[in-house]
Amino acid sequence: MPEKVVTAIEHELKFVAEMDYAAYFLTVYDIVRFARERGILCQGRGSAANSTVCFCLGITSVDPTKFDLLFERFISSARNEPPDIDVDFEHERREEVIQYIYQKYGRDRSAIVATVTQLHQKGAVRDVAKAMGMSVDAINKLSSSIWEFTDEWFEGKRISDQGFNANDPHLLKVLDLTRQFMGFPRQLGQHTGGFVITQGKITDLCPIINARMEDRTNIEWNKDDIDTLGFLKIDVLALGMLTCIRKGFDLLKDHYGKTYTLATVPQDDPAVYEMISHADTIGVFQIESRAQQSMLPRLRPENFYDLVIEVAIVRPGPIQGDMVHPYLRRRNGEEPVEYPSKELEDILGRTLGVPLFQDQAMKIAIVAAGFTPAEADKLRRSMATFKLSGLVTQFEKKLIDGMTGRGYTEEYARRIFKQLEGFGSYGFPESHAASFALLVYVSSWMKCYYPDVFATALLNSQPMGFYQPSQIVIDAQKHGVKVRPVDVNISKWDNTLEEPEGKYRAVRLGFRQVKGLSEQDVAALIAGRTEPYTAIHFMRDVGVSQGALERLADADAFRSMGMDRRKAMWEASALSDRPMGAFKGQQSASEFEAPVELPKLSLSEHVVQDYMSTSLSLKAHPVSFVRGELAAKRAVPTADLSKFRDGNFVRVAGLVLVRQRPGTAGGVCFITIEDESGVANLVVFQSLFEKFRKEILRSRLLMVEGKLQIEGEVIHVVVRRCYDMSSLLRQLNQKDEDPDVMTLSRADEKDEYVSQSVNRKTQVRKKPVQLEIFPSGRNFH
């Protein structure tokens, strides 16, 4: 082992001993040990990942000697406080860990930290409007008009399109009070996982309360309070991707006979990095967002440290500090990599001379500006997440004077300060990015080699991540995975893997995909499924509720019994006024009724009902039914955008998946739309956003025209005009693809379904279609 590394380890161990933190590390180790003994996946991260002690104890998976992580980021003698250790656990099983802590230390000596919930955006305007006597309808309209809070909104200039009088004195008073009310404390809540453990009774130190959740105790002071007082805190956090990976490992063991852990997944696989470089990352941890997918083909990660950089670079801190483009230009050989001194080359060598991490900012302050480690830690704290902006500027004079006094030019010193100032919004510590990068790689590896396993685990871990189940299923199908529908005789609660079909195993959708269906009803259905069901009333007899039967019928889950959606709903409805067991000896409830020839649903109606009941459809994509109308308006499928040239004008349309307007984007709105062929990324500049605000915020089906921007594999449409085409979706419950109505029937023993033509019948609905099934997209403000 190099002498430098040995010296660093000795230095750290000496500090840990002097500060008497051994008991703290062993407490965290004990919690991690409990989780691993019970098969709960966990991963340490944050500043403690810099610690050799944490690495040796197995709390973290990042080797600090490999990454040369900054020791003072973790602990320093000038900070009379314990280190901060974050451990992520599976989000579905974290409660087991929490209860272990309560059981071991007692609820009188352990409690979760409180948080003070502040009023933001919609909550503030709704509370004020209600107090000012506005009607419920008016409150809902006012709240729905919010995209962002600007001076124009508070002055009433952005709400006239909602039917409000922008000059109404009462309304203007409501808006003015909302401006004042935002930021006020609203209520006390639970911290995401910050635990306080004390030697004596907590009540001797601070007040405690019972949480609303059973068997949980909270202290009444928040995180900042206990930091000031120096209380020991351990963060027991939840991470959905750990749940997904653990479920994926279980499926690999059960269906492929392979056993993996986070440490044993094959490393540095070129095929995995190739997939990542093509932005084929839907569902992958941390790099699935639109911004990350735009960055991946530019950065083209080739090794693990590239993933560390990828995780850290698409953040407000590096973006605001103008670090992204210089790094990409240097990586691609478009500008030389230069260092003003050898000491800065040692710090910035792996990031090509561009500071991307908080750790580097601290090292620069120490080496180039003469900061002490304690002062550098204060600089780090001023850059910490969620802190008020502007605190970094307190260090401006000291940093610039220190650098110029050591021979650096003032221009370079100010450029470094500007980059560090960007971290005031959000800058990642290198150790944090390294811990996340491991989960990025593992989830990418699973998606690359076992897309059937990955999609199933991802669906079984919802809600989490960036995409809805429909996008996860579509992506799996594009990777050659066969997906089969929910069925009362085959499905389980979770989505499952069945026999191989092609290269991968087929995915059977589980009952968890059916909206409103309870696990209790599913348990009764499965327990009574000793042999295949042949009639709906047999399910009623084993304890499945009437509501559950109707939801299953809505989900078209009776195909294996020879019934389509409408016939199943008819049969289920016939049971509603009959006592349980009334049909013993009968094959169907309809034997008590005169034969009725039910009209068949069209394929488009089936798709509408699929989205209503399960939020996805295996039969078709909604946009495919209006392709003719869109083509008549010269809108091309999203998959065809790659056939055009950079700068071409195009029209494209699709369901709105996501709208984003990041604070670092200068008012630019990013929109992702989806049609039957894929997705398209739209860029809407601020002036155009104001012009087409109504279409952008309200459209479920959005059509745009604009200029194509192609940079390698990254394709955007820079929008010039927007059209709300949502009215086309309202036609789907009457619309047919062909003169004949399309219905679905059992095709063969593999449970595939094909289309067959039947005679057209008068369309009759039991209930009207609720078109909210096609949501107007997720909004991130």
Side-chain angles (χ1 to χ4, degrees):
M1 187 178 290
E3 182 179 350
K4 178 181 177 182
V5 173
V6 174
T7 302
I9 293 174
E10 290 176 347
H11 176 55
E12 178 181 330
L13 294 177
K14 179 181 177 182
F15 262 87
V16 171
E18 288 179 354
M19 301 298 288
D20 196 22
Y21 287 148
Y24 177 78
F25 285 103
L26 292 175
T27 299
V28 179
Y29 163 76
D30 178 65
I31 296 170
V32 171
R33 174 201 57 77
F34 166 83
R36 288 182 173 152
E37 284 181 356
R38 281 154 181 78
I40 302 172
L41 208 59
C42 59
Q43 165 86 333
R45 63 175 172 89
S47 58
N50 298 333
S51 163
T52 306
V53 175
C54 282
F55 178 69
C56 293
L57 289 174
I59 296 170
T60 64
S61 302
V62 178
D63 185 347
T65 63
K66 180 179 179 181
F67 288 95
D68 190 26
L69 299 174
L70 185 66
F71 177 69
E72 284 76 10
R73 170 70 177 87
F74 156 61
I75 190 174
S76 84
S77 57
R79 291 162 53 192
N80 186 24
E81 60 183 40
D84 183 22
I85 297 181
D86 302 336
V87 186
D88 291 313
F89 299 88
E90 297 176 37
H91 77 302
E92 291 184 355
R93 301 188 64 189
R94 182 181 63 142
E95 188 62 26
E96 297 176 42
V97 180
I98 288 176
Q99 291 306 317
Y100 169 73
I101 296 173
Y102 281 131
Q103 290 165 11
K104 178 159 186 172
Y105 298 98
R107 289 177 62 184
D108 58 339
R109 295 197 299 127
S110 56
I112 297 177
V113 179
T115 56
V116 178
T117 304
Q118 293 177 304
L119 282 156
H120 298 290
Q121 301 181 347
K122 294 190 177 184
V125 72
R126 295 186 74 90
D127 284 355
V128 170
K130 183 178 180 181
M132 294 291 286
M134 293 183 68
S135 68
V136 173
D137 289 342
I139 293 173
N140 290 338
K141 280 189 175 183
L142 188 62
S143 175
S144 66
S145 72
I146 296 172
W147 171 265
E148 60 180 348
F149 283 100
T150 61
D151 290 339
E152 290 84 357
W153 189 89
F154 284 115
E155 293 168 5
K157 297 176 182 178
R158 299 298 180 198
I159 59 177
S160 58
D161 59 353
Q162 300 289 326
F164 291 101
N165 178 2
N167 299 315
D168 179 19
H170 187 74
L171 177 62
L172 292 176
K173 184 67 173 177
V174 170
L175 300 182
D176 182 56
L177 288 172
T178 298
R179 187 206 301 262
Q180 299 177 46
F181 201 32
M182 285 173 59
F184 268 61
R186 191 177 196 277
Q187 62 192 40
L188 206 62
Q190 290 189 50
H191 189 270
T192 53
F195 248 100
V196 170
I197 302 174
T198 59
Q199 190 170 24
K201 290 187 176 182
I202 294 182
T203 51
D204 294 340
L205 300 173
C206 62
I208 66 171
I209 55 175
N210 286 327
R212 293 182 65 182
M213 292 183 65
E214 188 177 357
D215 297 327
R216 281 198 183 189
T217 302
N218 279 87
I219 67 173
E220 293 188 10
W221 294 347
N222 66 18
K223 177 181 179 296
D224 292 335
D225 294 334
I226 67 167
D227 283 347
T228 302
L229 294 169
F231 278 30
L232 182 149
K233 178 174 70 70
I234 298 171
D235 283 320
V236 180
L237 305 174
L239 194 61
M241 183 49 66
L242 286 174
T243 304
C244 174
I245 291 174
R246 197 265 306 163
K247 290 183 176 182
F249 286 162
D250 290 346
L251 290 168
L252 283 170
K253 183 177 181 180
D254 293 341
H255 295 280
Y256 287 92
K258 297 182 178 181
T259 302
Y260 291 103
T261 66
L262 291 176
T264 60
V265 168
Q267 297 295 307
D268 298 322
D269 190 312
V272 175
Y273 289 111
E274 184 69 16
M275 181 193 80
I276 293 172
S277 296
H278 290 294
D280 183 8
T281 56
I282 287 180
V284 172
F285 183 62
Q286 285 286 304
I287 57 172
E288 63 175 347
S289 71
R290 177 217 156 270
Q292 289 281 5
Q293 288 186 339
S294 296
M295 179 63 67
L296 290 169
R298 297 185 177 112
L299 194 144
R300 297 193 67 83
E302 297 176 351
N303 53 54
F304 183 78
Y305 195 73
D306 286 346
L307 292 183
V308 177
I309 291 174
E310 177 68 38
V311 168
I313 200 170
V314 187
R315 302 283 167 180
I319 292 171
Q320 289 185 337
D322 191 26
M323 306 173 196
V324 178
H325 293 295
Y327 177 81
L328 291 176
R329 287 195 297 268
R330 295 182 180 196
R331 183 179 176 88
N332 296 329
E334 298 171 7
E335 73 174 47
V337 179
E338 298 176 344
Y339 306 96
S341 69
K342 179 63 173 65
E343 52 194 7
L344 287 190
E345 183 178 359
D346 293 339
I347 296 171
L348 302 175
R350 286 187 297 178
T351 56
L352 307 182
V354 181
L356 298 177
F357 304 105
Q358 283 185 359
D359 317 62
Q360 291 175 312
M362 294 174 65
K363 287 182 180 180
I364 290 173
I366 294 170
V367 171
F371 279 51
T372 66
E375 289 172 331
D377 182 66
K378 290 181 180 178
L379 174 64
R380 189 271 307 176
R381 285 174 169 269
S382 74
M383 300 184 299
T385 312
F386 307 128
K387 299 296 182 185
L388 294 174
S389 60
L391 295 182
V392 183
T393 57
Q394 296 177 5
F395 298 92
E396 180 176 9
K397 187 176 188 303
K398 181 174 179 61
L399 184 79
I400 293 175
D401 290 348
M403 291 186 70
T404 54
R406 285 166 174 76
Y408 298 94
T409 67
E410 183 176 347
E411 178 188 1
Y412 182 77
R414 291 195 178 279
R415 192 169 80 220
I416 288 292
F417 176 77
K418 180 184 176 183
Q419 291 175 325
L420 301 188
E421 193 175 27
F423 284 112
S425 296
Y426 200 111
F428 251 26
E430 187 176 10
S431 57
H432 190 124
S435 296
F436 272 6
L438 177 61
L439 301 184
V440 170
Y441 179 83
V442 171
S443 56
S444 298
W445 173 86
M446 191 178 295
K447 179 182 174 74
C448 181
Y449 286 102
Y450 302 96
D452 51 348
V453 169
F454 184 68
T456 305
L458 203 56
L459 289 170
N460 288 340
S461 304
Q462 296 295 307
M464 59 163 282
F466 199 75
Y467 294 95
Q468 299 283 2
S470 58
Q471 282 85 57
I472 296 170
V473 167
I474 290 171
D475 184 65
Q477 291 172 324
K478 288 179 178 178
H479 285 79
V481 178
K482 301 296 182 183
V483 184
R484 298 170 178 172
V486 180
D487 193 283
V488 292
N489 279 319
I490 306 170
S491 294
K492 298 180 180 178
W493 173 255
D494 278 335
N495 302 277
T496 55
L497 292 177
E498 297 185 344
E499 77 281 358
E501 187 173 346
K503 187 176 180 181
Y504 307 109
R505 290 182 175 270
V507 176
R508 170 69 64 180
L509 295 182
F511 292 117
R512 64 158 53 231
Q513 302 302 139
V514 180
K515 294 180 182 178
L517 198 60
S518 71
E519 287 192 67
Q520 182 179 356
D521 280 313
V522 171
L525 185 150
I526 294 175
R529 199 167 63 190
T530 55
E531 56 184 34
Y533 291 110
T534 57
I536 291 182
H537 69 84
F538 291 144
M539 289 177 242
R540 174 79 175 274
D541 291 341
V542 298
V544 181
S545 70
Q546 178 67 26
L549 292 176
E550 293 184 0
R551 291 185 181 93
L552 289 168
D554 273 338
D556 203 14
F558 291 91
R559 292 282 173 176
S560 62
M561 292 168 54
M563 289 188 287
D564 69 357
R565 173 179 273 118
R566 177 158 283 167
K567 181 172 175 55
M569 178 56 75
W570 183 273
E571 294 277 352
S573 298
L575 297 176
S576 61
D577 56 352
R578 309 294 173 100
M580 189 177 298
F583 302 107
K584 284 190 175 179
Q586 304 295 331
Q587 282 301 303
S588 71
S590 59
E591 292 186 24
F592 284 86
E593 315 235 356
V596 176
E597 186 176 2
L598 298 172
K600 300 294 183 180
L601 291 173
S602 67
L603 181 57
S604 60
E605 286 181 302
H606 272 297
V607 171
V608 169
Q609 293 283 9
D610 284 344
Y611 270 82
M612 287 178 64
S613 59
T614 63
S615 299
L616 60 91
S617 179
L618 303 179
K619 303 178 178 77
H621 192 281
V623 177
S624 65
F625 298 103
V626 298
R627 176 53 59 191
E629 287 87 340
L630 295 175
K633 297 181 182 296
R634 292 175 291 128
V636 300
T638 58
D640 289 350
L641 293 179
S642 59
K643 300 176 182 178
F644 292 85
R645 294 183 178 180
D646 182 45
N648 286 161
F649 278 85
V650 296
R651 276 189 179 181
V652 67
L655 299 179
V656 178
L657 298 183
V658 179
R659 303 182 191 88
Q660 291 175 290
R661 206 178 186 192
T664 55
V668 177
C669 178
F670 301 101
I671 304 173
T672 302
I673 61 173
E674 176 193 70
D675 66 7
E676 73 276 24
S677 66
V679 298
N681 294 313
L682 315 178
V683 178
V684 184
F685 288 105
Q686 184 172 10
S687 59
L688 199 82
F689 178 86
E690 303 300 340
K691 183 177 180 180
F692 294 102
R693 172 185 292 266
K694 184 176 179 180
E695 289 81 359
I696 292 171
L697 297 185
R698 290 186 175 184
S699 297
R700 292 175 173 82
L701 178 60
L702 178 67
M703 183 173 73
V704 302
E705 62 183 44
K707 187 177 180 181
L708 208 57
Q709 189 178 80
I710 301 178
E711 183 182 346
E713 297 180 36
V714 181
I715 300 176
H716 293 104
V717 178
V718 180
V719 177
R720 299 289 180 87
R721 191 170 185 84
C722 301
Y723 304 88
D724 184 355
M725 307 300 293
S726 304
S727 59
L728 294 179
L729 296 177
R730 290 191 281 273
Q731 303 173 18
L732 295 189
N733 59 319
Q734 292 94 25
K735 203 174 166 50
D736 296 319
E737 276 269 296
D738 301 308
D740 292 327
V741 178
M742 305 295 288
T743 189
L744 302 171
S745 64
R746 185 68 176 265
D748 55 31
E749 297 170 350
K750 292 183 180 179
D751 201 38
E752 295 173 345
Y753 296 91
V754 297
S755 299
Q756 294 182 338
S757 297
V758 297
N759 294 330
R760 179 182 294 276
K761 304 292 182 183
T762 304
Q763 298 299 300
V764 178
R765 281 209 160 269
K766 182 174 178 65
K767 54 186 178 181
V769 174
Q770 301 297 319
L771 286 172
E772 286 72 10
I773 56 167
F774 304 119
S776 55
R778 290 188 180 185
N779 294 336
F780 294 84
H781 305 296

